[in-house]
Amino acid sequence: MLLLLSLLSLLLGGSQAQQEKYMLWVPESVTVQHGLCVLVSCSFSYPRDDRWTASYSAHGYWFREGANTDRHDPVATNKPGQRVQSRTRGRFQLVGDPSKDNCSLMITDARREDGAGYFFRVERGPSVKYNFLKGFSLKVTDLTQKPDVFLPATLEPGRPVPVLCVFDLAFERCPAPSFSWSTKAVYSQGKGPPASHFSTISLTPELRDHGTALTCRVLFPRQGVSTQRTVQLSVAPPESQGNVSYLEVQKGQFLRLLCAANSHPPATLSWVLEDRVLSWSCPSGPRTLELELPTVSPGDSGRYTCRAENRLGSQHGTLDLSVQYPPEDLRVTVSQENGTVLEVIRNASLPILEGQSLRLVCVAHSHPPARLSWTWEPQTLSPEWPSDPGVLELPWVQTEHEGEFTCHARSPLGAQHISLSLSVHCEWARAVFLGIGVTAVLSLCLLLVM
């Protein structure tokens, strides 16, 4: 009897220790909106023997909470030929690979009655047949997600514009909805993919459409649920005569300017920069004239005028364009006492004789204007030293002035700097520069030492 109890204890203890190796990782609660889809990430582990594990196929099953795995059908499985519940067939899919310890479940076209708890079962070979009873709880809520509609803030009468409606899906494999549009304005359906999460139209509004509604409706036909977003159209004609607008853009941006006018007879349109005509259109041509600046540069700054003229009169609108850019083309002009003037455009070394005067002028091109400052080694020069932040004056250069002088140019768009390494030669070096012999120089050095 004692031997039997000992064996039974060992068997139970071994079984319990083995079951403790069965682990499942899945969210406790998952929420999905009615008609939408969700991916339930899941992974698991179980005891295995590498000598036989690879020779058996791994089968996974998802069951509704309370199901008897011997008598009830699962809601999803990867086992070929296995029957699943009719109400979940095609909507619940075991997308994970149980042979790789993945039990992820995809649920599409979520229904109200799907709200319940679910647990996972794994089978592999003769010894692995296990129910992970702690699964996840699914909650199905009302469909509240709305599509997003993208269009220009202000529309011009008679000018077609593309309008985009997007409904964000949880992931790519979610079934695509159907889209429909409604508006009083004239529009044509865009040519997009037949099954997608977005829809496009080409909208051609008129002034009478100002303030009217544009609605994009998204329908999930399998569940009969839909959602929509409505926006108000803002339609306005081009600015009237004499109005001056101001526009700031950054260097390198793309810019398109549009000149448009309604008139009878048709008007001749033109774009003028300051006093230079850039482009024009014939009266028999379109009623709009575009001016494209593919890569805006500082030289494009100025006053742009759109002119419309016919035999009955003329109108014009004006735009002041300002191109912003970070500090660039940083350089330093060096003026020495002997009249030497150098222009430095990159980091350089500058030799100078002790006792001479030195003037450094730092210049940078930028918009808005850059703030200029000088530093000497790690020390920032006080504002009182240079009367002009870009100018550094050294009236009497001394040996202690040796080191690196750096000009910094800073603006909200960026910064640049340029450095000069100043090396100061003592007075006896002047003799060398003036052609005195080596012996005389050595004698002068000895006198200085004594």
Side-chain angles (χ1 to χ4, degrees):
M1 179 64 70
L2 291 176
L3 178 60
L4 178 60
L5 290 176
S6 299
L7 289 175
L8 182 59
S9 175
L10 288 173
L11 288 173
L12 290 175
S15 175
Q16 183 178 2
Q18 186 183 39
Q19 289 192 10
E20 287 177 355
K21 297 181 182 178
Y22 285 86
M23 301 291 292
L24 182 79
W25 294 272
V26 68
E28 291 184 3
S29 179
V30 176
T31 301
V32 62
Q33 295 185 27
H34 188 195
L36 302 188
C37 62
V38 65
L39 178 65
V40 184
S41 297
C42 175
S43 62
F44 64 97
S45 66
Y46 57 93
R48 67 189 73 194
D49 187 336
D50 293 337
R51 291 174 298 176
W52 60 263
T53 300
S55 61
Y56 292 103
S57 298
H59 296 136
Y61 311 81
W62 278 103
F63 287 91
R64 194 180 179 101
E65 190 175 57
N68 186 318
T69 56
D70 294 329
R71 295 187 295 108
H72 297 139
D73 294 331
V75 296
T77 182
N78 71 322
K79 184 177 181 180
Q82 172 67 50
R83 189 173 62 180
V84 297
Q85 292 189 18
S86 58
R87 62 183 177 183
T88 62
R89 185 180 301 120
R91 297 189 305 110
F92 282 53
Q93 301 176 48
L94 178 56
V95 294
D97 185 354
S99 66
K100 298 180 180 178
D101 301 344
N102 192 321
C103 48
S104 297
L105 176 69
M106 184 174 73
I107 302 173
T108 61
D109 301 320
R111 299 176 182 175
R112 294 286 189 185
E113 58 267 27
D114 293 333
Y118 296 88
F119 68 92
F120 183 71
R121 174 179 174 82
V122 62
E123 294 180 357
R124 191 167 196 177
S127 60
V128 178
K129 299 180 185 294
Y130 189 80
N131 295 337
F132 297 91
L133 295 181
K134 187 178 179 181
F136 72 94
S137 175
L138 178 67
K139 182 179 179 181
V140 182
T141 62
D142 292 336
L143 177 58
T144 58
Q145 181 179 336
K146 296 180 179 294
D148 293 311
V149 177
F150 300 93
L151 76 165
T154 303
L155 308 172
E156 295 184 6
R159 177 172 175 78
V161 294
V163 181
L164 178 66
C165 180
V166 179
F167 189 88
D168 287 329
L169 301 175
F171 49 96
E172 292 182 358
R173 295 177 61 178
C174 291
S178 61
F179 292 81
S180 62
W181 295 83
S182 62
T183 179
K184 292 182 179 179
V186 176
Y187 75 93
S188 59
Q189 190 74 40
K191 294 181 179 180
S196 179
H197 67 291
F198 68 90
S199 174
T200 61
I201 60 172
S202 178
L203 185 71
T204 308
E206 298 295 342
L207 278 176
R208 62 177 179 270
D209 298 319
H210 178 74
T212 60
L214 170 67
T215 299
C216 173
R217 182 169 179 262
V218 180
L219 173 66
F220 295 87
R222 294 185 183 180
Q223 298 304 316
V225 293
S226 64
T227 181
Q228 65 184 37
R229 184 177 294 276
T230 300
V231 296
Q232 305 298 318
L233 299 182
S234 176
V235 186
E239 294 183 354
S240 58
Q241 177 177 354
N243 284 354
V244 178
S245 300
Y246 183 77
L247 178 64
E248 285 187 348
V249 298
Q250 291 191 16
K251 178 182 176 181
Q253 288 185 332
F254 173 84
L255 185 64
R256 177 185 288 117
L257 304 179
L258 176 68
C259 180
N262 289 325
S263 66
H264 187 74
T268 298
L269 304 177
S270 62
W271 274 109
V272 179
L273 173 57
E274 304 300 345
D275 56 356
R276 178 165 54 96
V277 178
L278 301 178
S279 62
W280 63 90
S281 69
C282 300
S284 58
R287 295 185 180 183
T288 61
L289 178 62
E290 291 185 354
L291 178 64
E292 286 192 357
L293 303 176
T295 306
V296 176
S297 66
D300 295 321
S301 298
R303 173 161 291 189
Y304 290 78
T305 302
C306 163
R307 293 177 179 169
E309 300 178 71
N310 66 10
R311 57 184 175 83
L312 300 179
S314 64
Q315 280 194 340
H316 72 272
T318 302
L319 171 70
D320 282 342
L321 180 64
S322 176
V323 180
Q324 296 185 329
Y325 57 100
E328 59 183 33
D329 195 22
L330 185 62
R331 58 188 61 206
V332 175
T333 300
V334 182
S335 301
Q336 300 184 32
E337 182 181 354
N338 58 9
T340 302
V341 178
L342 302 173
E343 188 173 59
V344 180
I345 60 175
R346 61 178 63 89
N347 296 344
S349 297
L350 179 64
I352 188 170
L353 290 175
E354 183 181 24
Q356 284 196 340
S357 63
L358 187 66
R359 189 171 191 262
L360 307 177
V361 180
C362 184
V363 178
H365 297 285
S366 67
H367 183 70
R371 296 179 57 186
L372 300 174
S373 64
W374 281 96
T375 59
W376 178 28
E377 297 292 353
Q379 176 185 2
T380 300
L381 302 181
S382 62
E384 291 78 20
W385 189 347
S387 57
D388 184 334
V391 178
L392 179 61
E393 299 273 5
L394 297 177
W396 183 269
V397 176
Q398 302 178 34
T399 55
E400 56 263 30
H401 289 151
E402 278 196 341
E404 189 171 79
F405 288 80
T406 302
C407 174
H408 301 269
R410 299 181 179 90
S411 82
L413 300 180
Q416 267 198 347
H417 69 273
I418 185 172
S419 298
L420 294 177
S421 183
L422 193 65
S423 58
V424 181
H425 299 270
C426 64
E427 188 62 29
W428 62 265
R430 184 189 296 271
V432 176
F433 297 145
L434 295 177
I436 300 176
V438 175
T439 304
V441 172
L442 292 174
S443 301
L444 180 59
C445 288
L446 290 172
L447 289 174
L448 289 173
V449 172
M450 294 173 61

